[in-house]
Amino acid sequence: MQVNGKHYQTIWLENGTVFMIDQNKLPFSFEILQCHSWKETAAAISNMTVRGAGAIGAAAGFAMAQAFLEAPANSPDYLSEAQKQIEATRPTARDLFYASAEVFKSGDKISAVSRALELAAQNAEEGRMIGLHGHELIAEGTGLLTHCNAGWLAFVDYGSALAPVYESYRRGRRFTVFADETRPRSQGARLTAWELVNGNIPHYLIADNAAAYFMQQGRIQLVIVGTDRVAANGDVANKIGTLEKAIAAKTFGIPFYVAAPLSTFDLEANSGEDIPIEYRDAGELLFASGPCEDGTIETIRTAAPGTQALNPAFDVTPAEYITGFITSRGIIPAKAESIRKLFKNELKL
Amino acid sequence: MQVNGKHYQTIWLENGTVFMIDQNKLPFSFEILQCHSWKETAAAISNMTVRGAGAIGAAAGFAMAQAFLEAPANSPDYLSEAQKQIEATRPTARDLFYASAEVFKSGDKISAVSRALELAAQNAEEGRMIGLHGHELIAEGTGLLTHCNAGWLAFVDYGSALAPVYESYRRGRRFTVFADETRPRSQGARLTAWELVNGNIPHYLIADNAAAYFMQQGRIQLVIVGTDRVAANGDVANKIGTLEKAIAAKTFGIPFYVAAPLSTFDLEANSGEDIPIEYRDAGELLFASGPCEDGTIETIRTAAPGTQALNPAFDVTPAEYITGFITSRGIIPAKAESIRKLFKNELKL
């Protein structure tokens, strides 16, 4: 994507160093972080400098490739220990496990780097194809709701849920995006809104609480969200709040699509119950950071001192609430049978 | 309610001055604001120094009484102009219009003050009775969800949605409150959490996005919210997000109760469509205020520069989503017929 007239990917690997847009600094400052070792890259995943299903997949692949580059000769445990630590950074997104396993089994330094680069390129290509298949869902004049950030910042490029938005805009269609703020980390307000401002896409930022209201008012005709992991039966793990939006969409008869790169399908998870849900620090609800009027970044308290918070980062939306998956191979129903067909003739993905 | 070992009401009138807990300063500082004229009191309603259906009703009554005290002799238009301005402060809550009209028609200074005091006392008494009728809904071990703040801070005392919580706690029952953060103004995180900490009530603060997740996980067995206005058919206007919680509760088969003082019923509104929905400044979504580590209050930006926000403050939950109203006269179904019966033999309320 273009930022300040220059093309950027969210994350890339160059001479053994991983470069990434620092998503904790966005939207107030656009900075590139360099990770010189697999441990630095893993830390960037767990502190969410890089976040979003696809982007952390690419990051995990790159980290694994860095581990190959850094591995001392004759230390067979080094790589499996690195893989274990990379996989421990975040539990929910399927891409992370997929990419680290793929690179792990590549066997040597050169193959590892090459496989990691290939996975990252696939990740961007998946987004591009999702855009090409999904844009037709966005009719002229549509009000489209999205939750969290599944834009290009969540991938290597293009994004998942926002890929059809960019493609539709490129084709001159007029529509309005409603972007949920997405508390507690406010990826909607910080990242999706930043992407949409950056891309000139007409949009409104709304409180998470307001989604059902705008559906009831007839302002929203379509929902597209991303996903961190899809189970074999079509259940979807995605950012906390997705379930609530899906239930509201069903109530108001609004189509609810999940943009899902192939790497997010986990055929070994029979249903949503097999997907681990990450709980994050309560501090995400109790404090907020951002720039004051003079530009200095401050952290303020946002809740009553002494209160306790519970902070699940994801939820599972049952397949029955999902109209379809937008994949790089086309749009399919959220049914076990359709998912099986998607991967027919492939041993595993 | 007790704060630091002393009994407080949320708002009171003394020698023509209105005293109120400054709810914009809570939960970080407990201060009493004095309003010496009806204009100051009206300003405190519109800038939300005092907020919550019942408390702004009391404030409007007090402001109208102050207008009587301040009215120059032989200026008949003064009072109707004051009423108009008091009513223009907030559009959605029924109590505000009810109280200002009641005091307006009282006729003279002494009757006005006396009627305003009476309405405030009724408001507290309504809360007490709602607690007595509602506490039986909270079985031992219940997980109870509430949205926004309908505690004693939203009334003169006791509260509406939280009145059953306080009564149940007083009786030694054990249960857990799940308090929605309630973006964008975070009344849940700031005010409900503060009330619950202050009252020693076991609770968790959660992101608005997490309510459906905890319902799905079986952690929530009951929802109680307040209301700003109830239409004759049982439709309920309340804080934005209430609709979404009600839809989720119905989906998971969880009873959804609305604690409704008699003064919130607007029999002249046939349905929710007759209730005006207030839109507030987009800045509520784009900025947040709170104390930094050193205690100074800072305002930070929370969203991408250049983004636009839409900020409806209330929504309407259709009667079909509501299990019942907890009123000072008992619990009734959310049906037109039951509401009519509640006011039988009363010309108007």
Side-chain angles (χ1 to χ4, degrees), chain A residues 301-304, chain B residues 23-28 153 181 185-195 205 289-290:
Chain A
R301 195 180 264 279
T302 56
Chain B
Q23 301 196 41
N24 284 327
K25 300 262 172 74
L26 276 179
F28 308 114
L153 289 168
E181 179 181 34
R185 287 187 71 97
S186 303
Q187 293 94 333
R190 295 174 68 108
L191 304 178
T192 298
W194 181 83
E195 281 196 29
L205 174 65
S289 289

Side-chain angles (χ1 to χ4, degrees), chain A residues 77-133:
Chain A
D77 294 347
Y78 188 88
L79 290 172
S80 48
E81 179 55 29
Q83 185 186 23
K84 218 162 72 185
Q85 287 190 36
I86 291 165
E87 292 187 350
T89 51
R90 302 283 307 274
T92 302
R94 151 85 171 148
D95 286 70
L96 187 150
F97 300 92
Y98 174 63
S100 66
E102 284 292 307
V103 177
F104 179 78
K105 68 185 181 199
S106 61
D108 62 71
K109 289 177 205 284
I110 290 175
S111 314
V113 169
S114 141
R115 184 72 183 126
L117 289 169
E118 193 176 72
L119 288 170
Q122 264 176 21
N123 179 293
E125 177 61 11
E126 284 270 312
R128 199 180 69 82
M129 293 302 296
I130 286 172
L132 289 175
H133 288 298

Side-chain angles (χ1 to χ4, degrees), chain A residues 181 183 203 244-245 307, chain B residues 181 183 203 244-245 307:
Chain A
E181 180 181 35
R183 288 283 296 156
H203 71 279
E244 209 160 297
K245 310 309 157 194
T307 191
Chain B
E181 179 181 34
R183 288 283 297 158
H203 71 279
E244 210 160 296
K245 310 308 156 196
T307 191

Side-chain angles (χ1 to χ4, degrees), chain B residues 130-142:
Chain B
I130 285 171
L132 290 175
H133 289 297
H135 79 88
E136 288 180 9
L137 296 172
I138 307 173
E140 183 77 14
T142 296

